[in-house]
Every structure is written in C-alpha cells, then in structure tokens.
C-alpha cells in the first residue's frame, strides 16, 4: 500500500541545466467516483528551504499525518513567490484538508489554485482547471450542496472535452453522474456514468472501470428502490398489473447492479486496495437487501475486506471502511448469533484512525455507531455517553447529516429510560437539524414526494 500512497501524491526533482520541480498529485474522489491524477509542471524553485518543506509535507501526508502535512504546506506557501508554484501548494493543501474532513478549507484552496491557473495563458494551466474544478465540485457534493456541484460539473464536462486527457473526462463524467444521482435525476446520471465507463474501458484502467461500474450499480439500486416504492403505491390503489410490472423492473435493476459489482470485483482483483474494498462493501450492501440475504457470502466478503483494510495506512477512507464493515458484521451477527464477530473492535479502530488524522466527522460516525451497539446490548448509560460524544464531534465538524442521527438516537434512549421531557428536546433538536438540510434531502428523494 506504500506504492498506493506514492501514486496519490509525490514530489519529483529533476536536475538539468537548472532545478526543475514537478508536483504530481493523485487525488481522491470521495464515495465511488474516479481517481483523478493532477500533474502540475512548475518553474525552478529558488529556495532549497521551500523544497524541504514540501518534501516534509508529502512525507507527513503519506504517513497519514495530515495535520502536520498542512502545517508544512502552509509554511511552504508563505515562501512561494511563483504563481504556478503557489497553485501546486494550494492543491496539496486542499487534498490534505479533505483527508481530515475540512471540506470548506479544501474548497477554498482549490479555488485559489483554479484562479491562478485561469490567469495563466499556457497549455499546462488550461489542463489543470477542469481537474481542479472536478475536485472542488466533489467537495461541494460531499457537503450536500448538490445543485452547486452539478452546475460546476456541467460546465467542467464541456471544458474537459477540449483536452485530450481521457482520464479527466472520465472522472468528470463520473462526478457529474453522481451529482445527478444525488438530486434524483436518474436518467441523466445513467447517461453520464455510461459515458464515463466507455472512456474508462478505452483507457484500460482497472480502477477507473471499477469505479464507473460501482457508480452504475449504486444507481441501479436507487432505481430499484424507486420502482418498489411506486409498486407499493400501485398496490394501495388496487392496480395489481402495475404493481407486478414495477416489481419486475425493481428486480431487474437489482440483477443489473449485482452484475456490475461482480464485474467490478474482477477488475479490482489485481489492483486490490481501496477500490476492491469499496466494491466488496457495496456488494454486501446489495446482498443485504435481497428477499433472502446470503449471510454466508456477506460474511465471506467481510473477511476479505478485513484482510485488505489491515494493509491500508491511516486515512479518511480507512476510517469509513472500518465503520461500514462494523455495521455489516453487526447485521451478520444478528442473523447468525453463533458467529464470532466483534464490530465494536472495528469501530474502536475507526475512532482511533479518525482521531489520528483529525477527522471529527468520521469520529462522529464511529462514536454514534458505538453508541448503537451499546444500546442494542442494553447498556444505556454507555450508549448515551457515546451518543453525546457523537453529537459533539458532529457539531465540531459542522456535519448535520451526522448530528441528526445521534440526536434522534439519543431521543430514543431518553424515552426508553422514562425521561420524556429530555427525549422531546432531543427529538426537537433532530428535527431542527433536519430542517437545516431539508432542501438537500428532498432533492435526493424527489421521487418520493407527492405532487
């Protein structure tokens, strides 16, 4: 996995007639979007101290110490006079901030880099703009500002077409497909993801192909859920023929999703790493939703995922993989009580990783999930303590999508212990938090709204 991190961000120095520096950033897209390689050519660096600061920042980044990396990059930025050099360091800072969940800061640094490149009139700068716009749009999408992300990406797709870089085009189309998906426009999402997959196959890049297939599979699952909802409405209205038709469509979508995930597993067999981990977890999520879940297959996939996650360096990806794994193993344990599973151990590991990298949003999810485990075990005081810590971390991270979950769970715990007044206050907090993100939730689930 060391090689994996070196691909993501590295500093190369070439000594010819004069010192030439090249920053190569391999950045991540959160969720299931494609990886985007950002290569920035910059002029000679006059200060050896600046070179050392950037090298130290990259070493810290590779070891998972993102807070320290930010400190080194910030120092380097203050000593960087050249515009292109500053753009490159801003890009590094954006990546590091995203790794610790501080997305507004990441967006701001990408904006700085984008504006610098837009002022340059050369081919290299023109190639960087669509890449960084895609990165920035993904961060907006992660913040729940889905329509803003979509507008940026619609513009960026056209901009990327002016470049011969198929990787950028594939990544941008994948990100646009996810933006369409989050606002419920499944048809446009399908077109974007299919176009992204076509380019990924032309590139013959397993990670890009796997990511595009995952995007498509997740879309198929969402369409299946929509068909099932529509089928339930048809059944209530007494339209048995429409109910049957929609159920068949839902099953067809789930079958297509499973085929896409299985093909993605084949693509990631050689590369392994986070791409294969995400595919295993996504496939398990699908298997859980089947009328008769295959818990044996889910457990087997979980064991393989556990082996893979042990090889990952500490990162935001690792924290969320551990949280998802814990939740899946908890479900396996409920279906098979004799299974020797320890989801709480995985959540403790996720919490440790999140604290190490300084990601308070990931901390909130790990703490809240631990609270749910203690709640299921009937250990109410411990569960309440974890829920309160989860709410505090969500507040520090400005993560309402996490906060409302734990406010609601805390309300349930308080109600179960007879503290009705406190429970009502907690439920009211959850409702208020939901109201703050209501527009995004409605956009995501617009097919569940009545006209």
């Amino acid at each position: 996995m060391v090689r994996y991190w070196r691909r993501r961000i590295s500093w190369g120095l070439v000594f010819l007639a004069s010192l030439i520096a090249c920053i190569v950033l391999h950045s991540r897209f959160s969720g299931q979007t494609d990886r985007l390689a950002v290569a920035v050519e910059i002029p000679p660096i006059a200060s050896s101290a600046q070179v050392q600061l950037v090298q130290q920042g990259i070493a810290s980044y590779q070891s998972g110490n993102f807070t320290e990396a930010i400190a080194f990059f910030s120092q380097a930025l203050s000593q960087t006079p050249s515009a292109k050099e500053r753009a490159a360091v801003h890009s590094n800072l954006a990546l590091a901030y995203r790794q610790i969940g501080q997305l507004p800061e990441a967006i701001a640094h990408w904006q700085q880099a984008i504006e610098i490149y837009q002022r340059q009139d050369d081919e290299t700068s023109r190639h960087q703009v669509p890449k960084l716009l895609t990165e920035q749009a993904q961060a907006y999408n992660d913040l729940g500002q889905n329509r803003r992300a979509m507008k940026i990406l619609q513009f960026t797709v056209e901009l990327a077409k002016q470049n011969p870089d198929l990787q950028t085009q594939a990544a941008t189309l994948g990100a646009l497909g996810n933006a369409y998906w989050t606002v419920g426009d499944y048809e446009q999402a399908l077109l974007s993801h299919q176009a992204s997959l076509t380019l990924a196959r032309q590139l013959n890049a397993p990670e890009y192909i796997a990511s595009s297939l995952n995007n498509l599979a997740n879309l198929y699952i969402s369409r299946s859920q929509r068909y099932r909802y529509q089928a339930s409405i048809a059944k209530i209205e007494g339209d048995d023929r429409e109910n049957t038709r929609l159920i068949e469509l839902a099953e067809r979508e789930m079958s297509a999703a499973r085929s896409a995930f299985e093909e993605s597993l084949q693509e990631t067999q050689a590369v392994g790493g986070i791409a294969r981990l995400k595919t295993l977890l996504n496939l398990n999520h699908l298997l859980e939703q089947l009328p008769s879940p295959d818990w044996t297959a889910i457990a087997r996939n979980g064991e393989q995922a556990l082996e893979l996650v042990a090889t990952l360096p500490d990162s935001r990806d690792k924290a969320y993989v551990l949280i998802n794994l814990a939740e899946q193993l908890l479900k396996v344990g409920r279906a098979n009580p004799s299974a020797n599973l320890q989801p709480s151990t995985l959540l403790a590991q996720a919490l440790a990783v999140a604290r190490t990298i300084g990601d308070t949003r990931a901390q909130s999810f790990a703490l809240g999930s631990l609270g749910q485990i203690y709640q299921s075990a009937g250990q109410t005081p411990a569960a309440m303590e974890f829920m309160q810590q989860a709410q505090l971390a969500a507040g520090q991270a400005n993560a309402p999508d996490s906060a409302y979950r734990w406010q609601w769970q805390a309300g349930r715990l308080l109600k179960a212990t007879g503290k009705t007044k406190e429970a009502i206050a907690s439920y009211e907090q959850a409702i208020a938090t939901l109201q703050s993100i209501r527009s995004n939730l409605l956009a995501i689930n617009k097919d569940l709204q009545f006209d």
Side-chain angles (χ1 to χ4, degrees), residues 370-444:
L370 277 166
Q372 288 180 312
I373 288 179
Y374 281 97
Q375 181 181 1
S376 298
Q379 299 182 36
T380 302
M384 182 59 71
E385 176 64 24
F386 279 118
M387 292 298 181
Q388 290 172 344
Q389 290 182 40
Q391 290 178 57
L392 179 61
Q396 292 173 344
N398 190 25
D401 60 325
S402 173
Y404 86 86
R405 299 168 190 256
W406 317 129
Q407 290 163 349
W408 189 263
Q409 290 293 332
R412 294 180 62 190
L413 279 168
L414 290 164
K415 180 184 177 183
T417 56
K419 297 180 180 179
T420 306
K421 186 179 293 186
E422 292 89 339
I424 291 172
S426 191
Y427 284 138
E428 287 175 343
Q429 278 186 313
I431 292 169
T433 304
L434 276 172
Q435 289 289 350
S436 71
I437 55 174
R438 180 176 180 271
S439 60
N440 287 314
L441 291 174
L442 290 177
I444 292 169

Side-chain angles (χ1 to χ4, degrees), residues 6 11 35 45 51 64 82 127 133 155 157 161 200 218 226 233 238 258 271 274 325 377 385 401 424:
R6 286 176 180 166
W11 179 280
R35 268 65 179 173
I45 292 177
V51 174
S82 167
H127 284 184
L133 282 169
F155 166 76
V157 163
K161 288 178 182 178
N218 286 327
R226 180 180 62 183
I233 298 299
R258 185 167 187 170
V271 297
I274 197 68
L325 261 175
E385 176 64 24
D401 60 325
I424 291 172

Side-chain angles (χ1 to χ4, degrees), residues 13 22 29 59 66 69 82 125 138 199 216 241-242 313 315 416:
L13 296 177
C22 173
F29 287 121
F66 303 113
S82 167
S125 297
Q138 271 298 124
L199 290 174
L216 278 170
R241 178 177 296 179
E242 181 67 1
S315 67

Side-chain angles (χ1 to χ4, degrees), residues 146-378:
N146 313 115
R147 295 192 181 278
R148 184 170 188 172
M150 190 167 61
K151 288 180 180 179
I152 293 172
L153 289 165
Q154 287 170 335
F155 166 76
T156 307
V157 163
E158 297 305 314
L159 194 63
K161 288 178 182 178
Q162 300 172 19
N163 295 330
D165 183 355
L166 295 185
Q167 284 188 338
T168 301
Q169 292 179 40
T172 304
L173 283 164
L176 179 59
N178 280 346
Y180 279 128
W181 175 41
T182 58
V183 300
D185 192 341
Y186 296 155
E187 298 310 312
Q188 288 299 320
L190 180 63
L191 292 173
S192 294
H193 286 319
Q194 287 175 334
S196 178
L197 179 59
T198 298
L199 290 174
R201 292 194 192 285
Q202 290 179 26
L203 289 165
N204 194 27
E207 287 191 46
Y208 273 54
I209 294 170
S211 184
S212 296
L213 287 167
N214 282 351
N215 288 335
L216 278 170
N218 286 327
L219 175 60
Y220 292 143
I221 291 173
S222 293
R223 295 208 305 183
S224 176
Q225 292 170 341
R226 180 180 62 183
Y227 286 136
R228 288 193 183 278
Y229 171 78
Q230 292 171 340
S232 68
I233 298 299
K235 187 174 182 179
I236 291 171
E237 294 175 347
D239 191 341
D240 292 337
R241 178 177 296 179
E242 181 67 1
N243 172 262
T244 300
R245 184 185 75 85
L246 289 166
I247 290 294
E248 289 176 352
L249 286 174
E251 291 174 350
R252 188 183 306 169
E253 294 293 299
M254 291 296 280
S255 178
R258 185 167 187 170
S259 296
F261 282 141
E262 289 172 349
E263 186 180 351
S264 179
L265 278 180
Q266 293 176 358
E267 291 290 340
T268 58
Q269 190 167 4
V271 297
I274 197 68
R276 186 166 183 82
L277 263 170
K278 288 184 177 180
T279 303
L280 286 166
L281 294 175
N282 280 333
L283 178 58
N284 272 1
H285 179 62
L286 180 147
L287 295 175
E288 291 169 7
Q289 298 180 58
L290 297 178
S292 298
D294 188 345
W295 295 112
T296 301
I298 292 170
R300 185 171 58 249
N301 291 339
E303 289 173 2
Q304 186 179 158
L306 278 171
E307 293 176 1
L308 286 169
V309 77
T311 68
L312 291 179
D314 287 349
S315 67
R316 193 179 184 210
D317 276 337
K318 183 174 183 176
Y320 283 112
V321 164
L322 286 165
I323 293 168
N324 282 310
L325 261 175
E327 292 175 348
Q328 290 186 356
L329 292 181
L330 185 62
K331 293 174 184 176
V332 172
R334 289 170 182 162
N336 182 13
S338 63
N340 184 23
L341 303 173
Q342 296 181 316
S344 59
T345 300
L346 295 181
L347 289 172
Q349 292 177 18
L351 182 58
V353 169
R355 284 174 171 165
T356 296
I357 65 175
D359 189 335
T360 50
R361 187 175 186 275
Q363 288 178 45
S364 74
F365 279 105
L367 287 163
S369 296
L370 277 166
Q372 288 180 312
I373 288 179
Y374 281 97
Q375 181 181 1
S376 298

Side-chain angles (χ1 to χ4, degrees), residues 70-128:
I70 288 168
F72 283 126
F73 290 143
S74 297
Q75 283 184 269
L77 187 64
S78 67
Q79 300 178 22
T80 304
S82 167
K84 282 191 177 181
E85 291 176 12
R86 291 180 65 83
V89 179
H90 276 301
S91 296
N92 280 358
L93 278 164
L95 290 175
Y97 272 117
R98 185 170 55 185
Q99 283 287 5
I100 62 173
Q102 295 187 22
L103 298 181
E105 290 81 0
I107 288 170
H109 281 288
W110 272 314
Q111 185 63 32
Q112 291 286 335
I114 290 165
E115 290 176 2
I116 290 172
Y117 286 128
Q118 287 176 331
R119 290 194 294 267
Q120 308 298 312
D121 187 22
D122 60 80
E123 185 176 354
T124 298
S125 297
R126 286 191 293 270
H127 284 184
Q128 300 315 308

